[in-house]
Amino acid sequence: MAAPINGRCGFFVEKKKRFCKMIVGKEKTFCGEHAAMEEGNSSRRIVCPLDPKHTVSEDKLDKHLKKCNSREKPKPIYYVENINAGSADGDETPEQVCLSERSRTQLQSLVDKLKTAATGLQCDVEDSVLSHPVLQEELNNPKNGDSAHKHLKQQSSILGHLEALGLLGRGRSFVEFGAGRGKLSHWIHEALKTCEHLNTCEHLNADLQLLLVERCSTRFKVDGKHQDAGVQFERLQVDIQHLDLSKVPQFKHKKLPLVGVGKHLCGAATDLALRCLLETSETRETEPPRKRLKPSEPAAQERPGPVQGPGSGPVQGPGPVQGPVQGPGPVQGVAVALCCHHRCEWRHYVGRQFFQQRGLGAAEFSAFCRMSSWATCGLRPTNQDSPSEDPTNQTGDDEEHELAEETDTVNGFLSADDRQHVGRLCKRLIDCGRLHFLQSKGFIGKLTRYVSSDITLENVLLTAVPAPTSVPTPVPTPVPTPVPTPVPTSVPTSVPTPAPTPVPTSVPTSVPTSVPTPVPTPVPTPVPTSVPTPVPTSVPTPV
């Protein structure tokens, strides 16, 4: 066993197979977390009542509670409770029943319903593994281990898909949901620093906003590396369930189009992010009069009009001028890597209408979520450091996602291959409901396997862009209608009418050389007086 690093804690963490890396105090052997191991330390350590993940000295509990990072803090202005949570109807919350508690008849009935609902679905998953040159140097770096290399491959492919969709460029606001350390936003920023690898980066000096949404405090963040001029690299510590994008201070003065991204938004976090992007913007558009009601008043504590930003937002100018520029611009696209369908919830799910159209409800959805774990169970190594039990797990840095409950494994029902097929079918049905939601909002969605399964078993990327039919339809309709109507009606009526009129009235040999209008009047007058006079005088003389 290796010795602890000099100046670091001497406690050996059995689960991580290494010594604790926390810095110790002067002449101390252990850090504050493991100070109970120190000989002669009479202070007893207890679990923090605010966060059971750490401990605190019992005699310092009162002092700790005032500065603990898990203490309740004042809510930011963009916090609106359950704004993205969906319907809270009590009758729609099904009773959770483990699969192992269901009879074989019930399980077979669920499989039959699943296959019936999946018949004719037009949401096939395409294979498209892309990459971006900005990550090529890191991918070739031998210092990166297997885990880091897998993350880089996924980030490279996501950037490749953003570029293929025309979403990777300046003049946009990128919102990374479940950002974790913020590595995906880091590489987006790196890709947009220069135009070397971009075909659509003609506006190098255009504004760029990178907003990282994460509900937990994260260590080893990359935020400090991005302080370039003209770039806003900000982090919001808030649950997606309570985030109102229209009240984010960073969107106060610049109405840049939004691009939502995420790498492994676990379970219901994907549905919360889609609703946050698309349904919050609808609410903002349907309430324009509230932007101009009381421009002289400071921001209200209750839920005001979306335009009233934090602090002195409305005071900086008159309401009618500030109103149109408040809040984010239109959503330009979405690229989210999906995972952990067994952690979805019916209340948060955006595709409930899709399920109800197929005769399915909350009970079937809950069962399909549990059965979706069959797609990966038995193939994934055991995760000792599993994430929390919260279904809206939004952390994207841990590649090993939360495993399904062991009670959802059913031995003897179907073969292993059939169970995997059923699990994948459950995932596709849930994702098709999300595509149906995007379509109802005017977007074209697509499911793509963006990396191979040896990189990650959760290798499906959900992308969406606005439907092109909504913009070009009104443009071509009025343009061709007025142009062809006047041209053919005026030309044929005027040209053929005067042409045949002068030709038969005058002599065909000499008249076409002169002007047709004045010539025909004098010509018939002299011709009859001169022509008949010599003819009768000459004819009777020889006879």
Side-chain angles (χ1 to χ4, degrees), residues 425-489:
L425 209 56
C426 291
K427 286 177 175 284
R428 294 295 78 79
L429 186 65
I430 295 171
D431 292 338
C432 283
R434 290 164 172 165
L435 292 180
H436 181 268
F437 170 79
L438 288 167
Q439 185 180 3
S440 68
K441 299 296 180 182
F443 284 76
I444 296 178
K446 187 171 67 170
L447 299 172
T448 308
R449 271 184 286 268
Y450 70 109
V451 289
S452 57
S453 57
D454 60 331
I455 300 296
T456 174
L457 295 174
E458 302 281 13
N459 60 346
V460 175
L461 182 72
L462 172 65
T463 57
V465 291
T469 51
S470 56
V471 179
T473 3
V475 178
T477 323
V479 174
T481 4
V483 175
T485 335
V487 175
T489 48

Side-chain angles (χ1 to χ4, degrees), residues 44-202:
R44 188 170 71 96
R45 297 191 67 86
I46 60 174
V47 175
C48 174
L50 299 179
D51 185 2
K53 293 181 181 179
H54 64 271
T55 60
V56 61
S57 297
E58 188 176 17
D59 55 351
K60 297 180 180 179
L61 178 61
D62 294 337
K63 183 179 179 181
H64 171 79
L65 293 178
K66 296 178 182 179
K67 61 180 181 179
C68 178
N69 288 332
S70 299
R71 71 188 185 279
E72 187 176 356
K73 304 180 181 70
K75 303 299 182 190
I77 193 165
Y78 46 78
Y79 179 95
V80 179
E81 188 172 359
N82 291 329
I83 187 174
N84 304 314
S87 174
D89 297 340
D91 56 346
E92 293 186 356
T93 304
E95 182 183 356
Q96 299 296 322
V97 181
C98 299
L99 296 179
S100 58
E101 297 176 1
R102 297 179 184 266
S103 64
R104 303 234 171 173
T105 307
Q106 292 175 327
L107 290 174
Q108 188 60 51
S109 175
L110 287 171
V111 172
D112 294 339
K113 288 183 179 181
L114 172 67
K115 293 180 178 179
T116 303
T119 304
L121 287 180
Q122 297 181 351
C123 56
D124 296 333
V125 184
E126 303 177 0
D127 290 318
S128 179
V129 180
L130 303 180
S131 62
H132 196 278
V134 75
L135 287 96
Q136 198 58 46
E137 183 178 351
E138 278 297 314
L139 285 169
N140 296 332
N141 189 349
K143 294 182 179 180
N144 291 320
D146 292 340
S147 177
H149 189 265
K150 289 181 178 182
H151 283 291
L152 291 170
K153 291 282 285 184
Q154 296 172 64
Q155 292 154 357
S156 179
S157 184
I158 292 175
L159 260 66
H161 281 276
L162 286 173
E163 187 174 13
L165 293 170
L167 300 176
L168 191 61
R170 285 180 171 262
R172 295 172 175 84
S173 295
F174 290 89
V175 183
E176 182 182 358
F177 295 97
R181 294 171 58 190
K183 281 307 216 35
L184 183 57
S185 294
H186 163 77
W187 288 115
I188 291 176
H189 185 207
E190 290 295 319
L192 298 179
K193 276 186 176 179
T194 65
C195 296
E196 182 179 355
H197 304 303
L198 290 177
N199 300 324
T200 59
C201 191
E202 58 270 5

Side-chain angles (χ1 to χ4, degrees), residues 136-405:
Q136 198 58 46
E137 183 178 351
E138 278 297 314
L139 285 169
N140 296 332
N141 189 349
K143 294 182 179 180
N144 291 320
D146 292 340
S147 177
H149 189 265
K150 289 181 178 182
H151 283 291
L152 291 170
K153 291 282 285 184
Q154 296 172 64
Q155 292 154 357
S156 179
S157 184
I158 292 175
L159 260 66
H161 281 276
L162 286 173
E163 187 174 13
L165 293 170
L167 300 176
L168 191 61
R170 285 180 171 262
R172 295 172 175 84
S173 295
F174 290 89
V175 183
E176 182 182 358
F177 295 97
R181 294 171 58 190
K183 281 307 216 35
L184 183 57
S185 294
H186 163 77
W187 288 115
I188 291 176
H189 185 207
E190 290 295 319
L192 298 179
K193 276 186 176 179
T194 65
C195 296
E196 182 179 355
H197 304 303
L198 290 177
N199 300 324
T200 59
C201 191
E202 58 270 5
H203 305 293
L204 182 59
N205 296 323
D207 291 325
L208 175 64
Q209 291 180 327
L210 292 148
L211 196 70
L212 288 70
V213 181
E214 177 60 59
R215 66 180 182 181
C216 301
S217 179
T218 308
R219 299 173 62 194
F220 309 115
K221 297 184 288 287
V222 298
D223 306 26
K225 300 179 181 179
H226 302 276
Q227 304 297 332
D228 300 356
V231 177
Q232 288 183 305
F233 201 94
E234 303 289 342
R235 180 180 290 266
L236 304 183
Q237 187 172 340
V238 62
D239 197 309
I240 307 173
Q241 182 172 339
H242 313 299
L243 173 61
D244 186 354
L245 283 179
S246 65
K247 298 182 180 179
V248 173
Q250 286 74 11
F251 298 146
K252 185 177 176 183
H253 302 293
K254 299 175 184 177
K255 203 175 181 68
L256 300 179
L258 290 179
V259 178
V261 297
K263 177 175 170 288
H264 295 297
L265 271 176
C266 294
T270 298
D271 303 297
L272 297 175
L274 292 177
R275 190 176 281 113
C276 178
L277 278 172
L278 302 177
E279 290 197 344
T280 305
S281 61
E282 279 190 357
T283 307
R284 186 174 62 248
E285 291 173 2
T286 56
E287 296 178 345
R290 300 187 64 177
K291 300 177 183 178
R292 301 169 174 82
L293 285 178
K294 299 178 181 179
S296 59
E297 289 186 1
Q301 295 300 322
E302 59 184 13
R303 184 180 175 183
V307 71
Q308 296 188 3
S312 59
V315 186
Q316 296 178 0
V321 177
Q322 276 196 330
V325 297
Q326 299 297 320
V331 179
Q332 200 171 47
V334 179
V336 173
L338 307 171
C339 76
C340 299
H341 294 74
H342 59 278
R343 304 305 302 170
C344 294
E345 282 190 4
W346 178 252
R347 178 189 176 184
H348 303 318
Y349 184 52
V350 296
R352 286 186 291 184
Q353 184 181 3
F354 174 81
F355 261 65
Q356 290 165 353
Q357 289 174 354
R358 282 154 180 76
L360 303 174
E364 289 82 6
F365 177 81
S366 175
F368 292 163
C369 287
R370 290 178 174 271
M371 291 164 65
S372 67
S373 64
W374 293 352
T376 54
C377 65
L379 301 177
R380 201 196 310 258
T382 303
N383 179 20
Q384 296 180 351
D385 299 329
S386 60
S388 64
E389 291 293 327
D390 197 306
T392 61
N393 181 18
Q394 300 166 14
T395 303
D397 280 340
D398 296 329
E399 185 56 42
E400 300 300 336
H401 305 285
E402 186 178 0
L403 299 179
E405 300 177 12

